[in-house]
Amino acid sequence: MDKFAALEQALRGAAPHTLLDVVSAALDERYGTAGVELRLADYGMHSLQTVNPGPGPGPGETEPVSIHGSPQGRAFGSQEPYVTEEGGGRVAVHLPVTVRGDRLGVLTVRLASDAFTEADLPDLRLACEALGHEMLVAERDTDLYVLARRAARLTLAAEMQWQLLPGRACARDEFALGAQLEPAYAIFGDNYDWSVSAGHLTMAVTNGMGDGIEAALLSNLAVNALRNARRAGLGLADQAALADQAVYAHYRGRAYVSVLLLRFDFATGEVEAIDAGSPKLWRLRDREVEPIPFDAQLPLGMFEETVYVPERFTVRPGDRLLFGSDGVYEALSPAGEPYGLRTLARTLLATSLLPPTQVPGAVLRELAGHRGAKPLDDDALVVCLDWYGRGAGSGVGTDTAD
């Protein structure tokens, strides 16, 4: 633990672009490593991209590996260390780098076989945890880790949307959730947001009308207005009303934002909800999939001074909730059949054993198969939430933030 504390201190004092160098030096001192490599998941969750902090890449260092089927991808998917024999008396230890449920990537440590035992894994995982936390802090001051996630260039609209998102996953004792957007490198209007406090989870799933920069600007305005109202301590109805006024004041009804806004109570499982547009919600409970219907209310910014009324329902431990934008449930097959409840229910049942971080990607892959060769003509957003309830959690932390 003394060595781990020293590593944490070294990481905190390091220049933002040198975090991998610091970890490499610490592991080399302890294990005599033959190399340390950090890969981060790309925006589309298809590949693991190498982080190269030096002035130029070494041989083969820029080659991505697939999230599906590679040793690194196995560690990433299972969230467990995976050890491979490399020949010449060496092993490669692939370790997930994850922060509060958000899977960032994989750290690979290569070392002599006789220098490694299973007893070393807890310390190596602590090193990965420290590295992950410091990377998120370092992103304020360097583009290194953001650039490493790119398998292709982002459109400007997508750049704006990814910078607005809170992350791709979050886990607490009471819940775990994961989210994904497609097309990852060219999204424009769909967005999601969440905030966790001591007693509540607040979520927003939004869809700004239009496309390109205009849709991204519209969603940015709505999401930041919702955050501003939430951080002022306003209730759910007032959050929606303030955001509605902000959008209307700027666009005067020419553009609007659909939103599904929810607030979960950790102690009771009661959920307040406001359905102001197109995002939909389905629940998997006891192997039964059903939509959760709400009274439709006006999207944000359509008219001046709209009054919003929350509805309520209750979640139980073991419930899985799936949120989808219209780009999911309205997507058409070549024969003109919408994706809809029947196909979505089949996918939810087939993925019931997957963690919520993997379900959005599985749904989007199924959606791509449903469309066939037909190109994606709208954003597709999927968020999956597993509810554990208070006192029956996953033991992943108790940090609070509003």
Side-chain angles (χ1 to χ4, degrees):
M1 291 301 294
D2 289 341
K3 291 183 179 180
F4 176 67
L7 173 59
E8 281 192 313
Q9 186 174 0
L11 284 169
R12 288 171 184 167
H17 62 282
T18 64
L19 299 182
L20 181 57
D21 294 334
V22 171
V23 171
S24 298
L27 295 179
D28 185 53
E29 179 183 355
R30 182 162 184 180
Y31 300 103
T33 61
V36 178
E37 178 184 77
L38 175 63
R39 293 179 179 271
L40 300 181
D42 87 298
Y43 288 108
M45 297 293 279
H46 301 304
S47 62
L48 291 162
Q49 309 283 127
T50 303
V51 175
N52 176 42
E61 285 185 342
T62 59
E63 291 299 318
V65 298
S66 175
I67 281 182
H68 309 286
S70 67
Q72 296 92 335
R74 179 164 173 171
F76 184 82
S78 68
Q79 288 295 286
E80 294 291 339
Y82 182 60
V83 181
T84 57
E85 297 284 345
E86 293 210 318
R90 293 197 319 187
V91 295
V93 185
H94 309 287
L95 302 129
V97 179
T98 301
V99 178
R100 295 189 181 123
D102 196 0
R103 302 178 300 162
L104 304 182
V106 174
L107 185 74
T108 298
V109 182
R110 293 183 168 87
L111 65 166
S113 301
D114 57 7
F116 168 76
T117 69
E118 295 287 327
D120 295 316
L121 290 177
D123 283 350
L124 289 170
R125 297 195 74 162
L126 286 173
C128 289
E129 181 181 339
L131 174 61
H133 277 273
E134 291 306 317
M135 272 198 304
L136 293 184
V137 175
E139 284 184 359
R140 299 179 308 174
D141 304 311
T142 180
D143 286 338
L144 175 65
Y145 309 105
V146 174
L147 289 172
R149 296 188 177 98
R150 302 180 183 211
R153 184 173 178 176
L154 294 175
T155 65
L156 178 54
E159 184 87 52
M160 294 167 64
Q161 292 293 64
W162 280 107
Q163 289 300 308
L164 187 64
L165 295 171
R168 281 190 292 215
C170 180
R172 278 269 306 251
D173 285 346
E174 298 86 357
F175 72 90
L177 63 83
Q180 182 61 22
L181 285 158
E182 288 290 348
Y185 291 85
I187 54 173
F188 35 84
D190 286 4
N191 204 281
Y192 56 83
D193 193 34
W194 59 68
S195 176
V196 185
S197 69
H200 298 89
L201 164 67
T202 302
M203 288 185 61
V205 181
T206 55
N207 181 4
M209 68 174 289
D211 51 33
I213 298 296
E214 291 305 318
L217 287 169
L218 177 58
S219 291
N220 267 258
L221 174 60
V223 170
N224 278 296
L226 288 168
R227 287 174 175 172
N228 180 254
R230 185 186 72 229
R231 292 165 182 170
L234 301 182
L236 210 65
D238 289 334
Q239 291 175 32
L242 188 147
D244 171 67
Q245 292 167 21
V247 174
Y248 185 83
H250 189 79
Y251 290 97
R252 312 302 296 181
R254 299 187 307 274
Y256 51 85
V257 179
S258 298
V259 61
L260 181 58
L261 190 60
L262 305 104
R263 189 170 188 258
F264 294 78
D265 188 298
F266 291 149
T268 65
E270 185 178 70
V271 186
E272 272 189 286
I274 292 176
D275 179 2
S278 60
K280 303 298 182 186
L281 173 60
W282 297 266
R283 177 178 60 208
L284 171 61
R285 175 185 288 172
D286 299 329
R287 304 291 298 173
E288 293 289 334
V289 178
E290 59 182 353
I292 298 181
F294 301 107
D295 294 332
Q297 302 183 61
L298 293 173
L300 306 182
M302 182 171 281
F303 297 105
E304 189 173 14
E305 296 185 356
T306 302
V307 176
Y308 293 94
V309 180
E311 300 175 69
R312 287 173 171 79
F313 67 99
T314 301
V315 286
R316 303 175 188 168
D319 281 356
R320 169 165 285 182
L321 303 180
L322 192 86
F323 306 80
S325 65
D326 54 2
V328 175
Y329 60 83
E330 290 184 355
L332 299 177
S333 70
E337 179 185 357
Y339 189 67
L341 174 60
R342 184 172 62 181
T343 309
L344 186 64
R346 185 173 64 245
T347 304
L348 266 178
L349 289 171
T351 59
S352 61
L353 296 180
L354 292 178
T357 50
Q358 295 187 33
V359 172
V363 171
L364 290 169
R365 287 192 295 274
E366 179 71 20
L367 180 67
H370 176 81
R371 292 196 318 270
K374 187 176 184 293
L376 190 66
D377 55 7
D378 193 7
D379 290 5
L381 162 63
V382 179
V383 182
C384 181
L385 169 69
D386 279 3
W387 185 258
Y388 308 130
R390 178 145 285 176
S394 58
V396 287
T398 58
D399 298 278
T400 62
D402 249 340

